[in-house]
Amino acid sequence: MAKLYFYYASMNAGKSTNLLQADFNYRERGMATMLFTAAVDDRFAAGTIASRIGLSAPATMFDPATDLAGLALARHAEAPLACVLVDEAQFLTATQVDQLAALADRAGIPVLAYGLRTDFRGALFEGSARLLALADSLVEIKSVCECGRKATMNLRVDAEGRPVAEGRQTEIGGNDRYVALCRRHFSEAFQAKG
């Protein structure tokens, strides 16, 4: 039975690297896959999943209006898909997560979704909340705080490295905008600011 997997972590934990490795494993065995990435993520070339260690692969971009299941089923009709992989899964809508669950349940195609659990305020993203509710398997990818503990939070910082507590939920950035921290150091960063 195909499953819906949610691999989640803080920033800089290697989510995209893990996704690209899983994709490589399927393709190395001659199996077809379909990759999706969020159109809003403009850090790299459009329609590309790229990792910080230099790996990349082309992907179909999605936005809130994209019918992921429809696109996957159309591709599946051309050549059977062994797996669907989704990067930046926090940007999925709840409806899109429902589509992915149906893809696993009804079409028998495993779906591996990779993304952040929480935003820079510690709040769940819509896609992540629905994945936490529906996924058959929840897998935390570990990252490390500056103190050596497990990083679970994403601190947004300004150009001078100061914590940012307000703003839009989605602001695309990498090491220049976000720091992965344990909960203690995340909280202390805001206490020191105030």
Side-chain angles (χ1 to χ4, degrees), residues 17-83:
T17 302
N18 282 328
L19 180 152
L20 293 167
Q21 180 65 54
D23 178 59
F24 177 81
N25 291 344
Y26 277 101
R27 290 180 183 276
E28 185 178 44
R29 289 164 182 79
M31 298 178 191
T33 62
M34 185 168 189
L35 279 61
F36 286 100
T37 191
V40 70
D41 186 356
D42 59 2
R43 290 176 292 165
F44 308 104
T48 301
I49 297 173
S51 73
R52 292 176 298 116
I53 63 170
L55 303 173
S56 65
T60 301
M61 293 189 297
F62 70 85
D63 62 30
T66 304
D67 178 358
L68 299 173
L71 291 173
L73 290 171
R75 176 85 55 90
H76 188 61
E78 296 170 9
L81 291 174
C83 187

Short mmCIF file of all heavy atoms in Angstrom, two decimals, residues 17-83:
data_model
loop_
_atom_site.label_atom_id
_atom_site.label_comp_id
_atom_site.label_asym_id
_atom_site.label_seq_id
_atom_site.Cartn_x
_atom_site.Cartn_y
_atom_site.Cartn_z
N THR A 17 18.35 17.86 -0.09
CA THR A 17 19.37 16.84 -0.37
C THR A 17 18.77 15.44 -0.22
O THR A 17 18.99 14.57 -1.07
CB THR A 17 20.57 17.01 0.59
OG1 THR A 17 21.10 18.32 0.42
CG2 THR A 17 21.64 15.97 0.32
N ASN A 18 18.01 15.23 0.85
CA ASN A 18 17.37 13.92 1.06
C ASN A 18 16.37 13.61 -0.05
O ASN A 18 16.30 12.47 -0.53
CB ASN A 18 16.65 13.89 2.42
CG ASN A 18 17.60 13.69 3.57
OD1 ASN A 18 18.61 13.03 3.44
ND2 ASN A 18 17.29 14.28 4.70
N LEU A 19 15.60 14.62 -0.47
CA LEU A 19 14.64 14.42 -1.55
C LEU A 19 15.37 14.02 -2.84
O LEU A 19 14.98 13.07 -3.53
CB LEU A 19 13.84 15.70 -1.79
CG LEU A 19 12.79 15.67 -2.90
CD1 LEU A 19 11.68 16.65 -2.59
CD2 LEU A 19 13.36 15.97 -4.26
N LEU A 20 16.43 14.74 -3.17
CA LEU A 20 17.18 14.45 -4.39
C LEU A 20 17.83 13.07 -4.33
O LEU A 20 17.92 12.37 -5.35
CB LEU A 20 18.21 15.54 -4.65
CG LEU A 20 17.60 16.92 -5.00
CD1 LEU A 20 18.66 18.01 -4.93
CD2 LEU A 20 16.92 16.88 -6.35
N GLN A 21 18.27 12.65 -3.16
CA GLN A 21 18.84 11.30 -3.02
C GLN A 21 17.77 10.24 -3.22
O GLN A 21 18.00 9.23 -3.90
CB GLN A 21 19.48 11.12 -1.64
CG GLN A 21 20.10 9.74 -1.43
CD GLN A 21 21.26 9.48 -2.36
OE1 GLN A 21 22.20 10.27 -2.40
NE2 GLN A 21 21.22 8.38 -3.10
N ALA A 22 16.58 10.46 -2.66
CA ALA A 22 15.48 9.51 -2.85
C ALA A 22 15.11 9.42 -4.33
O ALA A 22 14.91 8.33 -4.88
CB ALA A 22 14.27 9.92 -2.02
N ASP A 23 15.04 10.57 -5.00
CA ASP A 23 14.74 10.60 -6.43
C ASP A 23 15.79 9.82 -7.22
O ASP A 23 15.47 9.02 -8.10
CB ASP A 23 14.66 12.04 -6.92
CG ASP A 23 14.40 12.14 -8.41
OD1 ASP A 23 13.37 11.61 -8.87
OD2 ASP A 23 15.24 12.73 -9.12
N PHE A 24 17.05 10.05 -6.89
CA PHE A 24 18.15 9.35 -7.56
C PHE A 24 18.01 7.84 -7.39
O PHE A 24 18.21 7.07 -8.34
CB PHE A 24 19.50 9.83 -7.01
CG PHE A 24 20.67 9.10 -7.61
CD1 PHE A 24 21.17 9.45 -8.84
CD2 PHE A 24 21.26 8.06 -6.91
CE1 PHE A 24 22.26 8.78 -9.39
CE2 PHE A 24 22.34 7.37 -7.45
CZ PHE A 24 22.84 7.73 -8.69
N ASN A 25 17.68 7.40 -6.18
CA ASN A 25 17.54 5.97 -5.91
C ASN A 25 16.47 5.34 -6.80
O ASN A 25 16.66 4.25 -7.34
CB ASN A 25 17.22 5.71 -4.44
CG ASN A 25 18.38 6.03 -3.52
OD1 ASN A 25 19.52 6.16 -3.97
ND2 ASN A 25 18.11 6.18 -2.25
N TYR A 26 15.32 6.00 -6.94
CA TYR A 26 14.26 5.48 -7.81
C TYR A 26 14.73 5.44 -9.26
O TYR A 26 14.58 4.44 -9.96
CB TYR A 26 13.00 6.35 -7.71
CG TYR A 26 12.11 6.03 -6.55
CD1 TYR A 26 12.11 6.82 -5.41
CD2 TYR A 26 11.24 4.94 -6.59
CE1 TYR A 26 11.29 6.53 -4.33
CE2 TYR A 26 10.40 4.65 -5.52
CZ TYR A 26 10.43 5.45 -4.40
OH TYR A 26 9.61 5.17 -3.34
N ARG A 27 15.30 6.55 -9.73
CA ARG A 27 15.70 6.64 -11.13
C ARG A 27 16.83 5.66 -11.46
O ARG A 27 16.89 5.12 -12.56
CB ARG A 27 16.11 8.07 -11.47
CG ARG A 27 14.91 9.00 -11.48
CD ARG A 27 15.35 10.44 -11.82
NE ARG A 27 14.23 11.33 -11.76
CZ ARG A 27 13.36 11.53 -12.74
NH1 ARG A 27 13.48 10.88 -13.87
NH2 ARG A 27 12.37 12.39 -12.59
N GLU A 28 17.73 5.45 -10.50
CA GLU A 28 18.84 4.51 -10.72
C GLU A 28 18.32 3.10 -10.98
O GLU A 28 18.95 2.32 -11.69
CB GLU A 28 19.76 4.52 -9.49
CG GLU A 28 21.01 3.69 -9.63
CD GLU A 28 21.90 3.77 -8.43
OE1 GLU A 28 21.38 3.71 -7.28
OE2 GLU A 28 23.12 3.89 -8.62
N ARG A 29 17.15 2.80 -10.46
CA ARG A 29 16.55 1.48 -10.66
C ARG A 29 15.57 1.47 -11.84
O ARG A 29 14.77 0.56 -11.99
CB ARG A 29 15.85 1.04 -9.37
CG ARG A 29 16.87 0.70 -8.29
CD ARG A 29 16.25 0.63 -6.91
NE ARG A 29 17.23 0.36 -5.89
CZ ARG A 29 18.06 1.24 -5.36
NH1 ARG A 29 18.06 2.49 -5.76
NH2 ARG A 29 18.91 0.89 -4.42
N GLY A 30 15.61 2.54 -12.64
CA GLY A 30 14.77 2.61 -13.83
C GLY A 30 13.33 2.97 -13.57
O GLY A 30 12.47 2.77 -14.45
N MET A 31 13.03 3.51 -12.41
CA MET A 31 11.65 3.88 -12.06
C MET A 31 11.41 5.37 -12.32
O MET A 31 12.29 6.20 -12.08
CB MET A 31 11.38 3.56 -10.59
CG MET A 31 11.51 2.10 -10.25
SD MET A 31 11.22 1.88 -8.48
CE MET A 31 11.74 0.19 -8.28
N ALA A 32 10.23 5.69 -12.79
CA ALA A 32 9.87 7.08 -13.07
C ALA A 32 9.39 7.78 -11.81
O ALA A 32 8.69 7.19 -10.97
CB ALA A 32 8.78 7.13 -14.14
N THR A 33 9.76 9.04 -11.67
CA THR A 33 9.32 9.87 -10.56
C THR A 33 8.81 11.19 -11.11
O THR A 33 9.04 11.53 -12.27
CB THR A 33 10.47 10.17 -9.58
OG1 THR A 33 11.49 10.89 -10.28
CG2 THR A 33 11.05 8.90 -8.99
N MET A 34 8.12 11.93 -10.25
CA MET A 34 7.71 13.29 -10.59
C MET A 34 8.04 14.17 -9.41
O MET A 34 7.69 13.84 -8.27
CB MET A 34 6.22 13.37 -10.91
CG MET A 34 5.78 14.74 -11.38
SD MET A 34 4.11 14.69 -12.08
CE MET A 34 4.02 16.34 -12.75
N LEU A 35 8.75 15.26 -9.68
CA LEU A 35 9.16 16.18 -8.63
C LEU A 35 8.37 17.48 -8.74
O LEU A 35 8.13 17.99 -9.84
CB LEU A 35 10.65 16.52 -8.77
CG LEU A 35 11.65 15.50 -8.21
CD1 LEU A 35 11.55 14.17 -8.89
CD2 LEU A 35 13.06 16.04 -8.34
N PHE A 36 7.97 18.01 -7.58
CA PHE A 36 7.28 19.29 -7.49
C PHE A 36 8.08 20.21 -6.56
O PHE A 36 8.65 19.75 -5.57
CB PHE A 36 5.89 19.14 -6.88
CG PHE A 36 4.87 18.52 -7.79
CD1 PHE A 36 4.54 17.18 -7.67
CD2 PHE A 36 4.22 19.28 -8.76
CE1 PHE A 36 3.59 16.60 -8.49
CE2 PHE A 36 3.26 18.71 -9.58
CZ PHE A 36 2.95 17.37 -9.45
N THR A 37 8.07 21.49 -6.88
CA THR A 37 8.65 22.50 -5.98
C THR A 37 7.79 23.75 -6.03
O THR A 37 7.12 24.03 -7.03
CB THR A 37 10.11 22.83 -6.34
OG1 THR A 37 10.68 23.62 -5.29
CG2 THR A 37 10.23 23.55 -7.66
N ALA A 38 7.82 24.51 -4.96
CA ALA A 38 6.98 25.71 -4.84
C ALA A 38 7.47 26.82 -5.78
O ALA A 38 8.65 27.16 -5.79
CB ALA A 38 7.00 26.21 -3.40
N ALA A 39 6.56 27.39 -6.54
CA ALA A 39 6.88 28.48 -7.45
C ALA A 39 7.37 29.71 -6.69
O ALA A 39 8.16 30.50 -7.21
CB ALA A 39 5.68 28.83 -8.31
N VAL A 40 6.92 29.87 -5.45
CA VAL A 40 7.29 31.04 -4.66
C VAL A 40 8.77 31.02 -4.27
O VAL A 40 9.35 32.07 -4.00
CB VAL A 40 6.39 31.15 -3.40
CG1 VAL A 40 6.69 30.06 -2.39
CG2 VAL A 40 6.52 32.52 -2.75
N ASP A 41 9.41 29.86 -4.26
CA ASP A 41 10.81 29.76 -3.87
C ASP A 41 11.68 30.12 -5.07
O ASP A 41 11.92 29.32 -5.96
CB ASP A 41 11.14 28.34 -3.39
CG ASP A 41 12.55 28.23 -2.84
OD1 ASP A 41 13.31 29.22 -2.89
OD2 ASP A 41 12.91 27.14 -2.37
N ASP A 42 12.17 31.36 -5.06
CA ASP A 42 12.94 31.87 -6.19
C ASP A 42 14.43 31.98 -5.90
O ASP A 42 15.16 32.71 -6.58
CB ASP A 42 12.38 33.23 -6.63
CG ASP A 42 12.42 34.26 -5.51
OD1 ASP A 42 12.92 33.95 -4.40
OD2 ASP A 42 11.94 35.38 -5.74
N ARG A 43 14.92 31.22 -4.92
CA ARG A 43 16.35 31.29 -4.58
C ARG A 43 17.23 30.71 -5.67
O ARG A 43 18.38 31.11 -5.83
CB ARG A 43 16.63 30.55 -3.27
CG ARG A 43 16.07 31.24 -2.05
CD ARG A 43 16.29 30.41 -0.82
NE ARG A 43 15.47 29.20 -0.89
CZ ARG A 43 15.63 28.13 -0.12
NH1 ARG A 43 16.58 28.10 0.76
NH2 ARG A 43 14.84 27.09 -0.25
N PHE A 44 16.75 29.75 -6.41
CA PHE A 44 17.52 29.08 -7.44
C PHE A 44 16.79 29.26 -8.77
O PHE A 44 15.84 30.01 -8.85
CB PHE A 44 17.70 27.60 -7.09
CG PHE A 44 18.25 27.40 -5.70
CD1 PHE A 44 17.41 26.99 -4.67
CD2 PHE A 44 19.58 27.65 -5.41
CE1 PHE A 44 17.91 26.81 -3.37
CE2 PHE A 44 20.07 27.49 -4.12
CZ PHE A 44 19.24 27.06 -3.10
N ALA A 45 17.20 28.55 -9.78
CA ALA A 45 16.53 28.63 -11.08
C ALA A 45 15.09 28.15 -10.95
O ALA A 45 14.80 27.18 -10.24
CB ALA A 45 17.28 27.78 -12.09
N ALA A 46 14.18 28.82 -11.64
CA ALA A 46 12.76 28.44 -11.60
C ALA A 46 12.61 26.99 -12.04
O ALA A 46 13.25 26.55 -12.99
CB ALA A 46 11.95 29.36 -12.50
N GLY A 47 11.76 26.26 -11.33
CA GLY A 47 11.51 24.87 -11.68
C GLY A 47 12.67 23.95 -11.38
O GLY A 47 12.84 22.92 -12.03
N THR A 48 13.45 24.30 -10.37
CA THR A 48 14.61 23.49 -9.99
C THR A 48 14.62 23.27 -8.48
O THR A 48 14.42 24.21 -7.72
CB THR A 48 15.93 24.17 -10.39
OG1 THR A 48 15.94 24.39 -11.80
CG2 THR A 48 17.14 23.34 -10.00
N ILE A 49 14.84 22.04 -8.08
CA ILE A 49 15.10 21.74 -6.67
C ILE A 49 16.61 21.72 -6.53
O ILE A 49 17.29 20.98 -7.25
CB ILE A 49 14.50 20.39 -6.25
CG1 ILE A 49 12.97 20.42 -6.38
CG2 ILE A 49 14.92 20.04 -4.82
CD1 ILE A 49 12.30 19.07 -6.15
N ALA A 50 17.13 22.55 -5.65
CA ALA A 50 18.57 22.63 -5.46
C ALA A 50 18.91 22.52 -3.99
O ALA A 50 18.21 23.08 -3.14
CB ALA A 50 19.10 23.95 -6.03
N SER A 51 19.98 21.81 -3.70
CA SER A 51 20.43 21.69 -2.31
C SER A 51 21.65 22.56 -2.11
O SER A 51 22.33 22.94 -3.06
CB SER A 51 20.75 20.23 -1.99
OG SER A 51 21.96 19.86 -2.63
N ARG A 52 21.93 22.86 -0.87
CA ARG A 52 23.08 23.70 -0.54
C ARG A 52 24.41 23.01 -0.84
O ARG A 52 25.43 23.67 -0.93
CB ARG A 52 23.03 24.11 0.93
CG ARG A 52 21.89 25.05 1.24
CD ARG A 52 21.78 25.40 2.72
NE ARG A 52 21.52 24.22 3.53
CZ ARG A 52 22.34 23.74 4.47
NH1 ARG A 52 23.47 24.33 4.74
NH2 ARG A 52 22.03 22.66 5.15
N ILE A 53 24.41 21.69 -1.02
CA ILE A 53 25.66 21.00 -1.32
C ILE A 53 25.87 20.80 -2.82
O ILE A 53 26.79 20.10 -3.23
CB ILE A 53 25.76 19.65 -0.57
CG1 ILE A 53 24.69 18.68 -1.00
CG2 ILE A 53 25.72 19.87 0.93
CD1 ILE A 53 24.90 17.28 -0.46
N GLY A 54 25.03 21.43 -3.62
CA GLY A 54 25.27 21.45 -5.06
C GLY A 54 24.47 20.50 -5.91
O GLY A 54 24.62 20.49 -7.13
N LEU A 55 23.60 19.69 -5.32
CA LEU A 55 22.76 18.80 -6.11
C LEU A 55 21.54 19.55 -6.60
O LEU A 55 21.05 20.46 -5.93
CB LEU A 55 22.30 17.61 -5.25
CG LEU A 55 23.38 16.76 -4.60
CD1 LEU A 55 22.75 15.74 -3.66
CD2 LEU A 55 24.23 16.08 -5.65
N SER A 56 21.04 19.18 -7.79
CA SER A 56 19.82 19.82 -8.28
C SER A 56 19.12 18.90 -9.28
O SER A 56 19.73 17.97 -9.82
CB SER A 56 20.13 21.17 -8.94
OG SER A 56 20.92 20.98 -10.09
N ALA A 57 17.84 19.18 -9.51
CA ALA A 57 17.04 18.43 -10.48
C ALA A 57 15.87 19.30 -10.92
O ALA A 57 15.36 20.10 -10.13
CB ALA A 57 16.53 17.12 -9.87
N PRO A 58 15.43 19.14 -12.16
CA PRO A 58 14.25 19.89 -12.61
C PRO A 58 12.99 19.39 -11.92
O PRO A 58 12.89 18.21 -11.57
CB PRO A 58 14.21 19.62 -14.11
CG PRO A 58 14.98 18.36 -14.31
CD PRO A 58 15.99 18.28 -13.20
N ALA A 59 12.05 20.30 -11.71
CA ALA A 59 10.80 19.95 -11.04
C ALA A 59 9.67 20.78 -11.62
O ALA A 59 9.88 21.85 -12.17
CB ALA A 59 10.93 20.22 -9.54
N THR A 60 8.47 20.27 -11.46
CA THR A 60 7.27 21.00 -11.85
C THR A 60 6.93 21.97 -10.73
O THR A 60 6.87 21.56 -9.56
CB THR A 60 6.09 20.02 -12.08
OG1 THR A 60 6.47 19.10 -13.11
CG2 THR A 60 4.83 20.76 -12.46
N MET A 61 6.73 23.23 -11.08
CA MET A 61 6.41 24.23 -10.06
C MET A 61 4.93 24.17 -9.70
O MET A 61 4.10 23.90 -10.56
CB MET A 61 6.77 25.63 -10.55
CG MET A 61 8.25 25.82 -10.72
SD MET A 61 8.72 27.53 -11.07
CE MET A 61 7.91 27.81 -12.62
N PHE A 62 4.64 24.42 -8.41
CA PHE A 62 3.25 24.50 -7.98
C PHE A 62 3.00 25.82 -7.27
O PHE A 62 3.89 26.40 -6.68
CB PHE A 62 2.86 23.32 -7.09
CG PHE A 62 3.48 23.31 -5.72
CD1 PHE A 62 2.91 24.02 -4.65
CD2 PHE A 62 4.64 22.59 -5.46
CE1 PHE A 62 3.47 24.01 -3.39
CE2 PHE A 62 5.21 22.58 -4.20
CZ PHE A 62 4.64 23.28 -3.16
N ASP A 63 1.76 26.28 -7.36
CA ASP A 63 1.28 27.42 -6.60
C ASP A 63 -0.05 26.99 -5.99
O ASP A 63 -0.47 25.84 -6.18
CB ASP A 63 1.18 28.68 -7.47
CG ASP A 63 0.18 28.55 -8.61
OD1 ASP A 63 -0.81 27.81 -8.49
OD2 ASP A 63 0.40 29.21 -9.64
N PRO A 64 -0.72 27.83 -5.24
CA PRO A 64 -1.95 27.40 -4.57
C PRO A 64 -3.05 26.89 -5.51
O PRO A 64 -3.92 26.14 -5.07
CB PRO A 64 -2.41 28.66 -3.83
CG PRO A 64 -1.15 29.40 -3.54
CD PRO A 64 -0.30 29.17 -4.77
N ALA A 65 -3.01 27.24 -6.79
CA ALA A 65 -4.05 26.82 -7.73
C ALA A 65 -3.70 25.52 -8.46
O ALA A 65 -4.54 24.99 -9.20
CB ALA A 65 -4.31 27.92 -8.75
N THR A 66 -2.51 25.00 -8.27
CA THR A 66 -2.06 23.82 -9.01
C THR A 66 -2.78 22.55 -8.53
O THR A 66 -2.85 22.28 -7.34
CB THR A 66 -0.54 23.63 -8.86
OG1 THR A 66 0.12 24.83 -9.28
CG2 THR A 66 -0.03 22.46 -9.68
N ASP A 67 -3.25 21.77 -9.49
CA ASP A 67 -3.86 20.47 -9.21
C ASP A 67 -2.75 19.42 -9.28
O ASP A 67 -2.44 18.89 -10.34
CB ASP A 67 -4.96 20.17 -10.24
CG ASP A 67 -5.61 18.81 -10.06
OD1 ASP A 67 -5.21 18.05 -9.15
OD2 ASP A 67 -6.52 18.50 -10.85
N LEU A 68 -2.12 19.17 -8.15
CA LEU A 68 -0.99 18.24 -8.11
C LEU A 68 -1.37 16.83 -8.53
O LEU A 68 -0.66 16.18 -9.30
CB LEU A 68 -0.38 18.21 -6.70
CG LEU A 68 0.16 19.53 -6.16
CD1 LEU A 68 0.56 19.39 -4.72
CD2 LEU A 68 1.32 20.01 -6.99
N ALA A 69 -2.50 16.36 -8.04
CA ALA A 69 -2.94 15.00 -8.38
C ALA A 69 -3.23 14.90 -9.87
O ALA A 69 -2.87 13.91 -10.52
CB ALA A 69 -4.16 14.61 -7.57
N GLY A 70 -3.88 15.92 -10.43
CA GLY A 70 -4.18 15.91 -11.86
C GLY A 70 -2.93 15.83 -12.70
O GLY A 70 -2.85 15.04 -13.66
N LEU A 71 -1.91 16.62 -12.36
CA LEU A 71 -0.65 16.59 -13.10
C LEU A 71 0.06 15.25 -12.94
O LEU A 71 0.57 14.69 -13.91
CB LEU A 71 0.27 17.73 -12.63
CG LEU A 71 -0.17 19.15 -12.98
CD1 LEU A 71 0.73 20.17 -12.31
CD2 LEU A 71 -0.16 19.34 -14.50
N ALA A 72 0.07 14.73 -11.72
CA ALA A 72 0.73 13.44 -11.47
C ALA A 72 0.01 12.30 -12.20
O ALA A 72 0.66 11.42 -12.78
CB ALA A 72 0.81 13.16 -9.98
N LEU A 73 -1.31 12.31 -12.17
CA LEU A 73 -2.06 11.25 -12.84
C LEU A 73 -1.89 11.31 -14.36
O LEU A 73 -1.82 10.27 -15.02
CB LEU A 73 -3.53 11.30 -12.45
CG LEU A 73 -3.82 10.88 -11.01
CD1 LEU A 73 -5.27 11.17 -10.65
CD2 LEU A 73 -3.48 9.42 -10.78
N ALA A 74 -1.79 12.51 -14.92
CA ALA A 74 -1.53 12.65 -16.36
C ALA A 74 -0.16 12.07 -16.71
O ALA A 74 -0.02 11.35 -17.70
CB ALA A 74 -1.63 14.11 -16.77
N ARG A 75 0.84 12.37 -15.90
CA ARG A 75 2.19 11.81 -16.13
C ARG A 75 2.18 10.30 -15.93
O ARG A 75 2.81 9.56 -16.66
CB ARG A 75 3.17 12.49 -15.18
CG ARG A 75 4.59 11.98 -15.22
CD ARG A 75 5.49 12.59 -16.29
NE ARG A 75 5.56 14.01 -16.27
CZ ARG A 75 6.45 14.73 -15.57
NH1 ARG A 75 7.34 14.12 -14.81
NH2 ARG A 75 6.45 16.03 -15.63
N HIS A 76 1.44 9.85 -14.92
CA HIS A 76 1.34 8.42 -14.60
C HIS A 76 0.71 7.64 -15.76
O HIS A 76 1.07 6.49 -16.01
CB HIS A 76 0.51 8.24 -13.32
CG HIS A 76 0.46 6.87 -12.76
ND1 HIS A 76 1.58 6.18 -12.35
CD2 HIS A 76 -0.59 6.03 -12.54
CE1 HIS A 76 1.23 4.99 -11.88
NE2 HIS A 76 -0.09 4.88 -12.00
N ALA A 77 -0.21 8.27 -16.48
CA ALA A 77 -0.84 7.63 -17.64
C ALA A 77 0.16 7.44 -18.79
O ALA A 77 0.06 6.49 -19.56
CB ALA A 77 -2.04 8.46 -18.11
N GLU A 78 1.14 8.33 -18.87
CA GLU A 78 2.17 8.24 -19.91
C GLU A 78 3.21 7.18 -19.57
O GLU A 78 3.63 6.41 -20.43
CB GLU A 78 2.87 9.59 -20.08
CG GLU A 78 1.98 10.70 -20.57
CD GLU A 78 2.66 12.06 -20.49
OE1 GLU A 78 3.89 12.12 -20.22
OE2 GLU A 78 1.96 13.06 -20.68
N ALA A 79 3.66 7.20 -18.33
CA ALA A 79 4.67 6.24 -17.83
C ALA A 79 4.41 6.09 -16.34
O ALA A 79 4.41 7.08 -15.60
CB ALA A 79 6.08 6.77 -18.07
N PRO A 80 4.15 4.87 -15.89
CA PRO A 80 3.81 4.66 -14.47
C PRO A 80 4.82 5.29 -13.51
O PRO A 80 6.03 5.07 -13.64
CB PRO A 80 3.79 3.14 -14.33
CG PRO A 80 3.51 2.64 -15.70
CD PRO A 80 4.18 3.61 -16.63
N LEU A 81 4.31 6.09 -12.59
CA LEU A 81 5.16 6.73 -11.59
C LEU A 81 5.39 5.80 -10.41
O LEU A 81 4.43 5.24 -9.87
CB LEU A 81 4.52 8.03 -11.09
CG LEU A 81 4.43 9.19 -12.07
CD1 LEU A 81 3.63 10.34 -11.47
CD2 LEU A 81 5.83 9.66 -12.47
N ALA A 82 6.64 5.68 -10.00
CA ALA A 82 6.97 4.91 -8.82
C ALA A 82 6.86 5.76 -7.57
O ALA A 82 6.68 5.23 -6.47
CB ALA A 82 8.38 4.33 -8.93
N CYS A 83 6.95 7.10 -7.74
CA CYS A 83 6.94 7.98 -6.58
C CYS A 83 6.74 9.42 -7.02
O CYS A 83 7.18 9.82 -8.10
CB CYS A 83 8.28 7.86 -5.85
SG CYS A 83 8.36 8.76 -4.29
#
